[in-house]
Amino acid sequence: MTWGTELWDQFENLDKHTQWGIDFLERYSKFVKERLEIEQTYAKQLRNLVKKYCPKRSKDDEPRFSSCVSFYSILNELNDYAGQREVVAEEMGHKVYGELMRYSQDLKSERKQHLQEGRKAQQYLDQCWKQMDNSKKKFERECKEAEKSQISYDRLDNDINATKSEVEKAKSQLYLRTHSADESKNEYAAQLQNFNGEQWKHFNVAIPQIFKNLQDMDERRTVKLGETYRSFADVERRVVPIISKCLEGMVTAAKAVDQRKDSAIVVESFKSGFEPPGDYPFEDYSQNLSRTGSDNTISTPKNEGGVKPDPKHSISKTAKNKLWLFGKKPKAPSLEDFSHLPPEQRRKRLQARIDELSKELQKEVDQRDALNKMKDVYEKNPQMGDPQSLQPKISETMCNMEKLRSEIHKNESWLSEVEGKVSTRGDRRPSADVNHHAPHGRESPEGSYTDVPNQEHRSPPHQPDPRQAHQPDEFDDEFDDDDPLPVIGHCKALYSFNGTAQQSQ
């Protein structure tokens, strides 16, 4: 069915329908625009969400727990997902909204052209009709005038009193009016024939062609809408595989959560390397009491092995300070040798620093070798460069290497120290008589080490003084470590030294 034959008299309705079609197209364009704006906002909010929950610490401070690593993997996948939403918005703007806006402008121009052609054809037909109608009215007037002349002539011709001249004049007037009527009739017939021909062409050729063009335009608009509907869905469908990979990555990250691995990391992160404290001995404060009667007798458990209680085992500030192992650890400033850390943590930090310094040293070594090779090339081929120009850089590299080696040696010494302590503490027996002796290999205030047994102050087992039983050791507040430290090195005297001579002075 074609508009040109079925709707030949519906020009105004077709004008309204084609305008509605363009309005509907623009309405759909507005819908696509708002949809892509939603996608853009959604993608932006997702990226902001990822940014908000991404760690702001350095990689060294990143938690290594599988649950944390998996969560950060999920954030990365969500960030990629947000990127796909941006792709959807971008392609909707380019392939759907942009295409619709360009097509809408073309459609408006085409519709305007077809409607102008229809109006021109209608105006030409109206003009032909007006010319035909004018000729018809003229023919009608001329016929009426001829009839009047005929009546006047007949009246005078039958009047016996009329003169001959009056009759001749009426006859001549009748002839003129009859001739004019004949001419008007011929003109009216010609105009009528012309109008009928133009009207036939108008309704059988011009209007059908114009309406056919309007129909084709409207059908193309409908097809275009269907194509953009499909493009609207295809834009989303093209990113579905990538979005599925993002979701699969999230599932993979979820499966990577390992509770046993996380528990092991907790042990690795917080293990101090200390041994649990031994039993505290019984401290008898009743030995100075009089025992005059049985009711005043206070039974005291006998100390096994014949070892007397040591007053130093009283719960002093030193012992209390060690209870941080089971409570809140006191704050300590960060030291270069990490001595503020527990042994195990100190060992790991020192080892990590040694590894890092070793990598830096290797880089400097590689740079030195490269500079030396370049210098050899310059010496063999002076035209390529001056060998002496590389000497400052070589010297700087050598200086850096020496500094790094010194740092590595220093950290290795600290590492040997802490490894020796951990090994010795692992073999320690938590007995009561250990604390009676001064520690071997304790670092002196001057930074040297001593390993001479006869210079250590040893107190033989003795009966505690009742007057001092309730007084804490005056050195408890000065030193926090009552445990014996391991021997981490030996010193050799450069000069002969006589201890007895020193004491005699």
Side-chain angles (χ1 to χ4, degrees):
M1 300 177 67
T2 60
W3 292 3
T5 57
E6 304 291 339
L7 303 175
W8 63 271
D9 58 344
Q10 299 297 319
F11 182 83
E12 295 299 328
N13 286 330
L14 291 180
D15 183 0
K16 294 179 181 178
H17 172 74
T18 52
Q19 181 61 47
W20 170 87
I22 293 178
D23 292 341
F24 182 81
L25 181 72
E26 291 182 340
R27 184 183 180 192
Y28 175 64
S29 302
K30 185 179 179 181
F31 161 77
V32 175
K33 181 181 179 182
E34 292 185 4
R35 168 65 192 279
L36 68 89
E37 288 175 350
I38 291 174
E39 290 289 347
Q40 289 174 342
T41 303
Y42 180 47
K44 182 179 180 180
Q45 290 178 345
L46 284 178
R47 289 197 182 277
N48 290 338
L49 180 66
V50 171
K51 184 178 180 181
K52 178 181 178 180
Y53 283 92
C54 273
K56 299 178 177 60
R57 301 179 295 271
S58 62
K59 291 184 177 180
D60 294 337
D61 296 333
E62 283 298 303
R64 296 167 294 163
F65 301 108
S66 62
S67 56
C68 296
V69 174
S70 295
F71 176 62
Y72 297 146
S73 298
I74 290 175
L75 290 178
N76 291 331
E77 296 293 347
L78 187 60
N79 193 58
D80 294 341
Y81 176 85
Q84 296 308 307
R85 305 320 305 181
E86 290 174 344
V87 170
V88 170
E90 182 179 355
E91 293 196 1
M92 277 188 181
H94 176 67
K95 295 183 178 180
V96 183
Y97 178 72
E99 184 66 21
L100 284 171
M101 294 305 296
R102 288 190 297 270
Y103 186 75
S104 176
Q105 295 300 323
D106 296 340
L107 203 63
K108 288 179 180 178
S109 299
E110 183 180 356
R111 174 181 175 275
K112 182 179 179 180
Q113 179 183 354
H114 295 325
L115 293 178
Q116 285 178 348
E117 292 176 355
R119 291 190 177 93
K120 286 181 180 179
Q122 187 65 44
Q123 289 173 359
Y124 178 70
L125 183 63
D126 292 342
Q127 184 179 359
C128 292
W129 180 85
K130 182 180 288 189
Q131 291 177 353
M132 183 273 296
D133 187 62
N134 290 336
S135 64
K136 177 182 176 181
K137 290 179 180 178
K138 182 180 180 182
F139 173 56
E140 183 181 6
R141 287 194 305 270
E142 293 295 335
C143 288
K144 288 180 179 180
E145 291 295 331
E147 289 177 358
K148 290 180 180 179
S149 296
Q150 182 68 42
I151 294 172
S152 178
Y153 171 73
D154 291 342
R155 182 176 57 79
L156 290 175
D157 188 37
N158 295 323
D159 188 1
I160 58 175
N161 296 322
T163 63
K164 185 177 180 179
S165 62
E166 290 177 346
V167 172
E168 290 294 332
K169 183 178 180 181
K171 185 178 179 180
S172 175
Q173 187 69 25
L174 175 60
Y175 175 77
L176 290 175
R177 292 295 182 185
T178 302
H179 182 71
S180 295
D182 290 340
E183 289 183 349
S184 298
K185 179 180 179 180
N186 293 332
E187 182 181 357
Y188 167 62
Q191 291 294 335
L192 179 61
Q193 184 180 4
N194 178 68
F195 171 74
N196 288 333
E198 293 299 330
Q199 182 175 252
W200 185 90
K201 288 192 295 185
H202 177 81
F203 288 110
N204 292 276
V205 178
I207 289 298
Q209 184 61 43
I210 293 172
F211 283 10
K212 182 179 182 301
N213 293 335
L214 287 173
Q215 182 179 2
D216 292 342
M217 179 197 72
D218 193 69
E219 289 177 354
R220 290 198 309 272
R221 175 191 65 83
T222 305
V223 172
K224 191 66 176 180
L225 280 172
E227 292 176 350
T228 52
Y229 292 164
R230 184 179 303 171
S231 299
F232 183 83
D234 286 341
V235 167
E236 183 86 19
R237 186 169 58 183
R238 277 193 292 269
V239 301
V240 167
I242 303 177
I243 290 177
S244 297
K245 290 183 179 179
C246 294
L247 297 177
E248 290 175 1
M250 294 181 185
V251 173
T252 302
K255 293 180 179 179
V257 176
D258 188 344
Q259 70 276 15
R260 296 188 180 277
K261 180 180 177 182
D262 288 0
S263 296
I265 291 175
V266 173
V267 173
E268 181 183 354
S269 300
F270 302 114
K271 181 180 179 181
S272 66
F274 291 126
E275 288 292 324
D279 295 337
Y280 282 96
F282 176 79
E283 300 179 16
D284 190 0
Y285 300 102
S286 64
Q287 294 183 5
N288 198 35
L289 299 178
S290 62
R291 309 177 187 277
T292 56
S294 60
D295 55 337
N296 292 331
T297 303
I298 300 176
S299 60
T300 303
K302 296 181 179 180
N303 196 352
E304 296 181 0
V307 179
K308 302 296 183 179
D310 193 339
K312 292 182 69 178
H313 280 295
S314 61
I315 301 179
S316 61
K317 180 179 179 181
T318 303
K320 292 180 180 179
N321 287 341
K322 289 186 178 181
L323 294 179
W324 66 264
L325 287 171
F326 306 98
K328 185 176 179 181
K329 182 178 178 180
K331 295 182 179 179
S334 178
L335 302 178
E336 183 183 7
D337 61 352
F338 302 115
S339 58
H340 62 288
L341 297 176
E344 184 66 20
Q345 299 301 317
R346 183 186 181 194
R347 182 189 63 78
K348 289 195 301 183
R349 295 290 290 273
L350 288 172
Q351 186 62 57
R353 181 187 286 174
I354 291 172
D355 295 340
E356 182 179 357
L357 292 172
S358 298
K359 291 179 181 178
E360 294 180 7
L361 177 60
Q362 186 60 44
K363 290 180 181 178
E364 296 292 337
V365 170
D366 295 340
Q367 183 175 358
R368 180 203 61 185
D369 296 342
L371 290 171
N372 287 331
K373 289 181 181 179
M374 189 178 297
K375 182 178 180 182
D376 294 339
V377 172
Y378 286 176
E379 290 176 350
K380 295 178 181 178
N381 301 284
Q383 67 275 10
M384 296 183 66
D386 183 11
Q388 297 302 321
S389 64
L390 300 175
Q391 190 58 42
K393 188 63 177 178
I394 294 176
S395 300
E396 180 183 354
T397 304
M398 297 295 292
C399 182
N400 293 338
M401 289 170 56
E402 290 302 321
K403 291 180 180 179
L404 290 171
R405 286 194 179 102
S406 176
E407 287 294 321
I408 292 174
H409 179 71
K410 180 169 61 175
N411 283 273
E412 284 178 344
S413 299
W414 291 333
L415 181 62
S416 300
E417 173 187 349
V418 72
E419 286 178 345
K421 286 185 177 181
V422 171
S423 175
T424 304
R425 287 172 184 264
D427 297 337
R428 186 186 64 178
R429 292 178 301 169
S431 58
D433 58 346
V434 173
N435 292 328
H436 289 300
H437 309 290
H440 293 281
R442 181 183 295 272
E443 185 177 357
S444 65
E446 293 80 14
S448 61
Y449 294 87
T450 177
D451 193 29
V452 182
N454 57 5
Q455 291 183 1
E456 296 289 343
H457 176 69
R458 299 193 178 213
S459 300
H462 63 282
Q463 186 73 17
D465 189 350
R467 293 172 298 178
Q468 297 181 358
H470 298 282
Q471 297 178 0
D473 196 335
E474 62 180 350
F475 296 104
D476 283 348
D477 294 337
E478 184 177 356
F479 300 101
D480 289 340
D481 193 359
D482 290 341
D483 296 334
L485 297 177
V487 176
I488 62 171
H490 299 275
C491 294
K492 183 177 181 181
L494 299 178
Y495 305 97
S496 59
F497 175 75
N498 191 344
T500 58
Q502 180 71 18
Q503 293 176 358
S504 62
Q505 295 179 357

